[in-house]
Amino acid sequence: MRKATRKTKNLLDILHIGSSIGWLGGGFMMLTINIAGLLTADPQLRHAAHEIAHVLDRWPLTALSVTALVTGALLGLKTKWGLVRYWWVTIKLVLTSVLLVTTPILVGGWALDAVSTRSGRPGVLADSAYLVDRAELLGASVSIISLLTFMLVLSVVKPWKRIRQRTYLKRVEASGQRDHGKAHGDGLPSTRLGRRWTVRSH
């Protein structure tokens, strides 16, 4: 695949960084909303918090996560980093894919359940199913923020070595030895030629 031009890479960088930061910011918003729904004594505010969380998860956060995944994959394919060439890139790709699949299914389902149980009705706090959904939403928000923060650290620090680093180094070393041999000639043939030239010259 052809490498990206400078303009294309800049555009992908802007979209990827923007969507990733937006996704992380949305995660903090979800956490704030879930905490508000957990702590408030106002039934209407509690129900509104779950409705807002459901809308955020269904539309904005899904769009941001898809954009982050697509632009990240394109940056990997069209730059030196690749998709499975460096550990930090591969781990980010796997975690992003996992979040993209599980968040709408699990978190979206829990938020929908919380809304459908009419969380604003009196006596809902005695409903064990609602209490479980609310606890799962809070735990999911903390987990998502933790993973997104971890991926942010990976993007900045770029830790660990290249995947199959030893194999790669061996290939580079072998290639360097071949190039060196071509440039200077093999040791034995050049010695024989040198000896023949010496004998003839005398």
Side-chain angles (χ1 to χ4, degrees), residues 18-19 27 38 45 143 160:
S19 59
L38 177 67
L45 177 59
S143 300
W160 308 308

Side-chain angles (χ1 to χ4, degrees), residues 1-47:
M1 181 176 289
R2 294 178 58 185
K3 297 300 181 181
T5 62
R6 187 176 185 84
K7 290 183 178 180
T8 301
K9 184 180 180 303
N10 289 340
L11 177 61
L12 290 174
D13 280 334
I14 292 171
L15 292 174
H16 183 65
I17 295 172
S19 59
S20 299
I21 293 176
W23 192 7
L24 179 60
F28 278 106
M29 289 176 59
M30 290 284 286
L31 178 61
T32 303
I33 292 171
N34 288 324
I35 291 176
L38 177 67
L39 298 179
T40 183
D42 185 347
Q44 293 183 350
L45 177 59
R46 181 168 56 246
H47 185 67

Side-chain angles (χ1 to χ4, degrees), residues 126-200:
D127 187 344
S128 59
Y130 167 72
L131 295 178
V132 170
D133 288 335
R134 189 172 68 171
E136 289 172 337
L137 285 171
L138 184 62
S141 296
V142 174
S143 300
I144 290 170
I145 290 174
S146 300
L147 289 177
L148 291 175
T149 303
F150 175 63
M151 288 191 286
L152 175 62
V153 173
L154 291 182
S155 298
V156 175
V157 178
K158 298 179 177 58
W160 308 308
K161 296 181 179 180
R162 182 172 178 152
I163 297 176
R164 296 180 180 177
Q165 181 74 4
R166 294 181 179 179
T167 303
Y168 174 73
L169 291 175
K170 288 181 180 179
R171 290 179 180 177
V172 172
E173 183 179 357
S175 177
Q177 289 177 351
R178 287 196 300 268
D179 294 339
H180 181 77
K182 291 179 180 179
H184 299 280
D186 294 333
L188 184 59
S190 62
T191 303
R192 289 179 178 176
L193 288 175
R195 289 176 179 175
R196 290 177 184 177
W197 176 258
T198 303
V199 172
R200 292 178 181 179

Side-chain angles (χ1 to χ4, degrees), residues 59-171:
W59 299 111
L61 293 182
T62 299
L64 289 170
S65 60
V66 171
T67 303
L69 176 63
V70 172
T71 54
L74 289 175
L75 282 170
L77 290 171
K78 291 184 171 293
T79 61
K80 67 177 182 178
W81 300 113
L83 292 180
V84 291
R85 193 174 297 168
Y86 290 86
W87 282 111
W88 69 273
V89 177
T90 304
I91 292 174
K92 274 191 62 181
L93 179 63
V94 171
L95 291 179
T96 302
S97 301
V98 169
L99 287 177
L100 181 61
V101 173
T102 59
T103 301
I105 297 175
L106 297 179
V107 179
W110 295 330
L112 183 60
D113 289 342
V115 172
S116 62
T117 55
R118 298 181 181 179
S119 50
R121 64 182 171 86
V124 71
L125 295 180
D127 187 344
S128 59
Y130 167 72
L131 295 178
V132 170
D133 288 335
R134 189 172 68 171
E136 289 172 337
L137 285 171
L138 184 62
S141 296
V142 174
S143 300
I144 290 170
I145 290 174
S146 300
L147 289 177
L148 291 175
T149 303
F150 175 63
M151 288 191 286
L152 175 62
V153 173
L154 291 182
S155 298
V156 175
V157 178
K158 298 179 177 58
W160 308 308
K161 296 181 179 180
R162 182 172 178 152
I163 297 176
R164 296 180 180 177
Q165 181 74 4
R166 294 181 179 179
T167 303
Y168 174 73
L169 291 175
K170 288 181 180 179
R171 290 179 180 177

